[in-house]
Amino acid sequence: MQQFRRLSKQSFSFLSNKNTELIVFLLLALANGFYLVMYKYIPSLDGPQHLYNSNVIVELVKGNDFFKQFFQINNVLVGYWNAHAVLSLYNFIFPSWLAEKLFLLTTLTLIPFSFRYLIKIINPNAGYLPILILPFVTNSYFFMGYYAFCFAWIFFFFTIGYFIKNYSEFSKIRKLIILCFLLFLTFLSHMIIFSFTLSVIALYLIYRFICDIIKKETKTKYALLSHVKLATRILISAIPSIIFAIIYSLHVFELNKDLNTSSFASSDLLSQFVNISSLVAFNHKSEGIMNSQLFIFVMALGLISLIFVIINSKKKSLLSKNHIYNIIFWGLLSLLVLILFFVFPNSFGTGSVSKRILVFFYFVFVAWIAMNRLPAIVHLIIIIAVIWYGYNQTVVRHPYYDKIDHLISELVEAEDTMRVNTTFTAINCIPLWNNWHYPCYIGSEKPIVYLKSPQNMGHFPVVWNWEKMPTNYLGLYKSGEAGTSWFNGSINKTIRPIDYVVVYGNWVFNNKAEYKKLKTIIDTFYNLVLVSERGTVALYEFKLYDYLEAKIPEIESNEKWMAQIKTKAEIRKLSVENMLLLDAMYYYTRTH
């Protein structure tokens, strides 16, 4: 074994320089995001919603009065602010398509470097082992557009790293203040990741207390007293974040009170674990093959690591006591998280919990591997394997990205035609699991209100302004009456015509019987102003502006007509102004 290790060190001495290791790590971390430069738009399920809301935040900060009628900042401090703040900053400075790329590149780069920070604290000689994290950074949630969840891992690794590094120094106020700040930033990133962070800290405190008792270097009484003091200090530093987390959790559980608890079957969970389903972006079959290969590779590394833990633990010159303690802790933590994956429900206050725990497991397990001292040949094999996986991942996903990139470009064609400070609704005639929110790309660049914006119900930083938001009509039809729906104000009953309708799946809209009534309504009140170059997207604009501008004063000057309108308004419990608008539009339908 000694000869093998010596030969490995000699063969790969050119990689041993620390500056070389840092450069290689940086280059591979950037290469992990190479796909970002291959396409203009980076499609995901929820990403468009967050990009849209980032522009809403920009407009609210600018003081846009039109947007203030529809949106406001959530008065509950939610655990999603960090990602939205960074994305909003980028969107304020750069075009929205570039802002999203910069945000994704920031996330893809900082997660590996925060992970490397944690590993280097425990194992300064980790070398190239932290590179193993790269395949797990681009997990399913990254491609589902769960930007806040992904971004939060940066703060998880930095916070845990800082905690372990300063474990024996928290009697210093400055250290506790920094920990308090890091915990608060973690809460502002994502509630689930904040829960993971607190859990790891609590488990580490308990583990170190047990280690001290086993060592018997101090009496149990004094060890207990010392750890109680330390735990109290840590708790005090965490209290501000915990208070806000409790408030937010109660708020979310109230919003999600109708969400039923559900779980996967054990066989499904086992399949997800072996196929690393947390890394699938588009196709379970094609991506599952290389993920299964990655599973075998990582588990083999885990076995090799275990062998070297046993060997190295017998040689005090190779591993310090603290290093051994940390290796054992992260090994036990991996096992605990894996058990949690198999027993915890998939829905608990929020959905898709199982796969989030699976992401957590692989991060922790890879951390455990990287904390070990392994031969140089293993480092080189990891570099080669990561490059191989990244290349194959890009090849497999390219056709999906390329096709969807063109679809999003067609939607953005519509935005270029639309006026600022207007409203629109969208009709998706080709609903797929990942395209429901693509219309959110409209309004991510210009200040345009999307009346179906889905992430404004209270979970996220921006919410609907129900008190000031007008009641939006599609011609003479309220939400739900014309075969499509959108959000409306609950208090302010001022009626306002929707300015634009975006049809996504234009051929289906024009030819399927189920859309006949809706098409008739749109053709009555709207003009077709754009069909995208490929024909997938159609844009309709409300056409009665000039007519209403002339007709309403004419009606107001007719006493008999106004008397009828007042009577109708009283019967329908509408304001005279609203009834006047509806009557003018109704008159148009009878005369044109």
Side-chain angles (χ1 to χ4, degrees), residues 296-352:
I296 295 170
F297 177 69
V298 171
M299 291 302 143
L301 285 176
L303 181 60
I304 292 169
S305 298
L306 182 60
I307 293 170
F308 274 90
V309 166
I310 296 170
I311 294 170
N312 293 336
S313 63
K314 297 177 181 179
K315 301 173 182 179
K316 296 181 180 179
S317 60
L318 290 176
L319 297 177
S320 66
K321 282 187 178 180
N322 274 339
H323 194 164
I324 294 172
Y325 289 153
N326 279 298
I327 289 174
I328 295 173
F329 172 76
W330 286 89
L332 293 173
L333 182 62
S334 300
L335 183 61
L336 181 62
V337 175
L338 184 59
I339 293 170
L340 192 67
F341 168 69
F342 281 101
V343 301
F344 204 81
N346 185 50
S347 298
F348 185 77
T350 187
S352 192

Side-chain angles (χ1 to χ4, degrees), residues 17 193 277 296 488-489 530 538 541 569 585:
N17 184 278
I193 308 301
S277 65
I296 295 170
N488 275 319
L530 173 77
E541 183 176 14
M585 288 195 288

Side-chain angles (χ1 to χ4, degrees), residues 50-60 62 67 87-88 91-92 96 415 443-448:
H50 301 313
L51 186 62
Y52 178 81
N53 273 335
S54 73
N55 199 38
V56 173
I57 292 171
V58 169
E59 291 303 318
L60 292 176
K62 285 181 178 178
F67 262 59
L87 189 54
S88 298
N91 206 0
F92 177 73
S96 59
E415 183 186 41
S444 64
E445 180 70 27
K446 286 183 174 180
I448 303 170

Side-chain angles (χ1 to χ4, degrees), residues 135-140 268-281 283-284 287-299 341 355 358-363 365-366 389 393 397:
F136 298 94
V137 173
T138 51
N139 56 65
S140 298
D268 291 335
L269 291 170
L270 183 61
S271 176
Q272 290 182 38
F273 172 63
V274 173
N275 295 317
I276 319 185
S277 65
S278 56
L279 296 183
V280 175
N283 189 301
H284 278 273
E287 295 180 60
I289 294 172
M290 60 183 185
N291 289 345
S292 298
Q293 294 169 346
L294 180 64
F295 171 82
I296 295 170
F297 177 69
V298 171
M299 291 302 143
F341 168 69
K355 196 171 285 188
L358 188 61
V359 171
F360 186 27
F361 165 76
Y362 278 106
F363 277 160
F365 188 65
V366 168
Y389 181 85
Q393 188 182 62
R397 292 171 178 171

Side-chain angles (χ1 to χ4, degrees), residues 163 167 200-210 227 230-231 234 329:
F163 170 74
Y167 180 77
V200 172
I201 289 174
L203 289 170
Y204 192 82
L205 287 168
I206 295 169
Y207 170 76
R208 290 302 296 262
F209 169 68
I210 294 172
H227 281 81
L230 176 58
I234 301 299
F329 172 76

Side-chain angles (χ1 to χ4, degrees), residues 154-183:
I154 299 167
F155 297 94
F156 171 84
F157 290 125
F158 275 132
T159 302
I160 297 300
Y162 179 82
F163 170 74
I164 292 175
K165 180 181 179 181
N166 296 280
Y167 180 77
S168 60
E169 298 184 35
F170 284 117
S171 56
K172 299 175 182 177
I173 299 297
R174 182 173 63 87
K175 301 287 186 180
L176 285 173
I177 292 174
I178 294 174
L179 180 62
C180 177
F181 180 65
L182 286 171
L183 286 170

Side-chain angles (χ1 to χ4, degrees), residues 142-301:
F142 203 89
F143 300 103
M144 288 173 69
Y146 287 28
Y147 290 166
F149 177 79
C150 296
F151 194 75
W153 287 106
I154 299 167
F155 297 94
F156 171 84
F157 290 125
F158 275 132
T159 302
I160 297 300
Y162 179 82
F163 170 74
I164 292 175
K165 180 181 179 181
N166 296 280
Y167 180 77
S168 60
E169 298 184 35
F170 284 117
S171 56
K172 299 175 182 177
I173 299 297
R174 182 173 63 87
K175 301 287 186 180
L176 285 173
I177 292 174
I178 294 174
L179 180 62
C180 177
F181 180 65
L182 286 171
L183 286 170
F184 188 64
L185 287 177
T186 308
F187 159 70
L188 286 178
S189 299
H190 200 279
M191 183 63 208
I192 290 178
I193 308 301
F194 176 69
S195 301
F196 289 164
T197 306
L198 285 185
S199 299
V200 172
I201 289 174
L203 289 170
Y204 192 82
L205 287 168
I206 295 169
Y207 170 76
R208 290 302 296 262
F209 169 68
I210 294 172
C211 288
D212 282 355
I213 297 300
I214 293 173
K215 283 191 304 182
K216 296 182 179 179
E217 292 179 2
T218 55
K219 292 183 179 180
T220 303
K221 178 181 177 181
Y222 295 113
L224 178 61
L225 182 62
S226 173
H227 281 81
V228 167
K229 286 182 179 179
L230 176 58
T232 303
R233 295 189 191 107
I234 301 299
L235 178 62
I236 291 171
S237 69
I239 281 177
S241 304
I242 292 173
I243 291 173
F244 283 113
I246 291 172
I247 294 170
Y248 175 60
S249 297
L250 293 173
H251 174 69
V252 169
F253 274 101
E254 177 61 26
L255 292 173
N256 293 346
K257 59 185 177 183
D258 296 327
L259 182 67
N260 295 322
T261 301
S262 63
S263 300
F264 288 109
S266 298
S267 57
D268 291 335
L269 291 170
L270 183 61
S271 176
Q272 290 182 38
F273 172 63
V274 173
N275 295 317
I276 319 185
S277 65
S278 56
L279 296 183
V280 175
F282 298 106
N283 189 301
H284 278 273
K285 185 176 181 180
S286 57
E287 295 180 60
I289 294 172
M290 60 183 185
N291 289 345
S292 298
Q293 294 169 346
L294 180 64
F295 171 82
I296 295 170
F297 177 69
V298 171
M299 291 302 143
L301 285 176

